[in-house]
Amino acid sequence: VTFGAILAWIFAVLLGLNVFVAMVIAIVFGGMFGWVQDAGLWKPLRKKGVKLVQAMVVSIGLSIVLRYLFLFFIGGDPKTMSVGLSSVIEVGPVRITVASVLSMAISIVVLVSVGLFLTKTRIGKATRAVSDNASLAAASGIDVDRITRIVWVIAGSLASLAGVMLGLYRQVSWDMGFQVLLLMFAAVTLGGLGSAYGALVGSLVVGLFVELSTLFIPADLKYAAALVVLIVVLLVRPQGILGRRERIG
């Protein structure tokens, strides 16, 4: 997320390119970054038999390194994406910026496209099979490593796109991805681990609750409110909203 936002800021603000061109560049580089991560780090770790918890520890260490590399190269001051999309549209009592309307439109298109990709294409169906049971998918003739690499590329591209839209909505900073990391984790857990549609539902629930909670509590506490929702839902339904119950042991 931070990587994509910083790239968009560099190309759109520092180099003066059109914001949509900068967005495409950020998406392409984000996909390349995902490919490099998988090829250089995660595939070798998978071949070594590294388990989920150890991989999560590695990912935390990698995120710390990347955050401070971003801090070193762009500094600690927030950067404004001043690209001419900050004008306000008024519809009755509603006031919304052009950047927010653009972000909503892009989000809807991307969500529908990812849904169709997962349900209508061969690669999408193979992706769901690998997510559900990688060993069985491999036994069925699916190239698990290839599918995993494709998922990393797509995930990197989508995360970069999200960073660009978040930078337009707020500001670009060296730790902006870390600021929303807990919310993303809460959304995925809430929807059901391993379920793409669960992540969508969880994100909508957490996002709406976080933003609407500011009507009743101070804005500084809105992220804490999302965690309260997560705790309550997991107490009632530990597998998440769209997750499946599984026997352990």
Side-chain angles (χ1 to χ4, degrees):
V1 170
T2 310
F3 181 73
I6 290 174
L7 282 179
W9 173 75
I10 290 173
F11 284 100
V13 177
L14 296 187
L15 300 182
L17 296 181
N18 181 276
V19 63
F20 297 102
V21 175
M23 185 180 295
V24 172
I25 293 174
I27 292 171
V28 171
F29 275 91
M32 293 170 59
F33 189 36
W35 188 92
V36 169
Q37 280 192 65
D38 184 61
L41 179 61
W42 303 113
K43 183 177 179 179
L45 288 179
R46 288 197 301 272
K47 288 187 175 295
K48 293 290 185 181
V50 173
K51 302 300 181 183
L52 181 61
V53 174
Q54 293 92 326
M56 186 176 292
V57 172
V58 172
S59 72
I60 293 171
L62 176 62
S63 71
I64 293 172
V65 172
L66 289 174
R67 283 208 306 276
Y68 286 100
L69 282 174
F70 296 148
L71 175 63
F72 177 79
F73 284 108
I74 72 167
D77 298 330
K79 320 297 183 192
T80 302
M81 289 279 285
S82 51
V83 290
L85 298 177
S86 58
S87 55
V88 176
I89 300 174
E90 294 191 21
V91 182
V94 178
R95 301 178 74 251
I96 188 169
T97 64
V98 173
S100 295
V101 173
L102 176 66
S103 295
M104 286 189 289
I106 293 175
S107 298
I108 292 171
V109 172
V110 169
L111 287 172
V112 172
S113 299
V114 171
L116 292 174
F117 166 78
L118 289 173
T119 55
K120 301 298 182 181
T121 67
R122 289 175 59 88
I123 295 178
K125 293 175 182 178
T127 299
R128 291 160 55 204
V130 171
S131 174
D132 188 60
N133 191 320
S135 300
L136 183 58
S140 303
I142 296 175
D143 188 340
V144 174
D145 278 337
R146 176 172 173 267
I147 295 300
T148 304
R149 186 69 52 81
I150 290 172
V151 169
W152 268 99
V153 171
I154 294 174
S157 299
L158 293 178
S160 293
L161 174 62
V164 177
M165 293 192 293
L166 186 60
L168 291 171
Y169 178 64
R170 297 179 181 174
Q171 289 180 314
V172 177
S173 64
W174 64 280
D175 64 342
M176 59 186 293
F178 181 72
Q179 293 173 7
V180 297
L181 179 60
L182 197 56
L183 287 182
M184 291 191 284
F185 184 73
V188 171
T189 307
L190 181 63
L193 292 173
S195 170
Y197 298 112
L200 169 60
V201 173
S203 299
L204 291 173
V205 171
V206 170
L208 287 171
F209 189 85
V210 165
E211 296 303 323
L212 293 176
S213 66
T214 57
L215 296 173
F216 310 100
I217 62 175
D220 294 339
L221 294 177
K222 65 180 183 179
Y223 291 166
L227 297 181
V228 171
V229 173
L230 174 64
I231 292 170
V232 171
V233 171
L234 292 183
L235 285 174
V236 176
R237 187 178 172 84
Q239 69 269 34
I241 296 173
L242 297 185
R244 298 194 307 267
R245 290 186 177 182
E246 295 183 3
R247 180 182 296 276
I248 299 176

